[in-house]
Amino acid sequence: MKEGYEWLWIDTCCIDKRSSAELSEAINSMYRWYRNSRVCYTYLHDNSNKFGKSNGWPEWFVRGWTLQELIAPKDVQFFNKDWVSIGNKHSLAGVLEQITRIPRDVLRDGLSSRRPSVAQIMSWAADRITTRVEDQAYSLLGLFGVNMPMLYGEGKKAFRRPAARNPSRIQ
């Protein structure tokens, strides 16, 4: 490949959602996978130029699962709908902070720069959308440093389990 990588992982293609064991393992590992990646390529299917409020922010920024995809990797490269580079999370930190309300130091250095409070992380996730209610909680597990089994069908109770599972990790 042009970038010199031999392997590529695409979360929408590489997780077998029919297997509850594989899905649970993937959800519990995803933050770590993104954090350990060399680069995360983000394709914005609904963006033709730079970010601009004239047409609204790209849909990617309101999806629940993409919060960890933005914070965890050291390098996130953004591409528009024509696969033209828009920039990376470091060069776009100002506009990304405006879009997401995530402080620049967290965008730049991840959660190692400081340990945000649960309330702060929840505020970043507040306007994000997931298909299933439980995914609103499950998509935050890596940000909270918590692993737990997935129990689809538990609804909003999913928000209570991370704190009960490991209260010392959630400040």
Side-chain angles (χ1 to χ4, degrees), residues 94-118:
V95 72
L96 294 174
E97 181 178 31
Q98 182 183 359
I99 295 169
T100 64
R101 300 181 310 275
I102 300 170
R104 286 181 201 208
D105 61 325
V106 173
L107 290 168
R108 187 180 52 248
D109 304 320
L111 296 180
S112 63
S113 63
R114 65 172 147 134
R115 188 74 217 168
S117 68
V118 169

Side-chain angles (χ1 to χ4, degrees), residues 1 5 10 33 35 45 54 57 65 69 72 88 90 106 138 150 154 168:
M1 289 181 63
Y5 299 111
I10 302 172
W33 292 341
R35 187 187 66 227
H45 71 90
S54 59
W57 301 120
W65 289 103
E69 293 175 40
N88 62 50
H90 299 282
V106 173
Y138 299 160
M150 307 302 104
E154 71 180 323
S168 66

Side-chain angles (χ1 to χ4, degrees), residues 31 34 60-73 89 100 102 107 120-126 128 136 139-140 143:
Y31 182 85
Y34 284 117
W60 191 85
F61 292 103
V62 298
R63 291 180 40 228
W65 289 103
T66 61
L67 183 58
Q68 65 183 353
E69 293 175 40
L70 179 60
I71 294 173
K89 80 172 182 176
T100 64
I102 300 170
L107 290 168
Q120 188 170 24
I121 292 171
M122 294 294 286
S123 75
W124 303 335
R128 291 177 176 259
Q136 292 174 344
S139 66
L140 301 175
L143 296 168

Side-chain angles (χ1 to χ4, degrees), residues 37-96:
S37 69
R38 297 264 171 104
V39 63
C40 181
Y41 298 109
T42 302
Y43 173 69
L44 304 173
H45 71 90
D46 55 350
N47 185 280
S48 54
N49 295 311
K50 294 274 187 190
F51 300 131
K53 275 195 169 176
S54 59
N55 297 326
W57 301 120
E59 176 189 17
W60 191 85
F61 292 103
V62 298
R63 291 180 40 228
W65 289 103
T66 61
L67 183 58
Q68 65 183 353
E69 293 175 40
L70 179 60
I71 294 173
K74 294 170 201 73
D75 184 11
V76 179
Q77 301 285 327
F78 293 95
F79 294 86
N80 72 12
K81 68 180 185 177
D82 298 316
W83 284 100
V84 173
S85 177
I86 297 170
N88 62 50
K89 80 172 182 176
H90 299 282
S91 67
L92 298 168
V95 72
L96 294 174

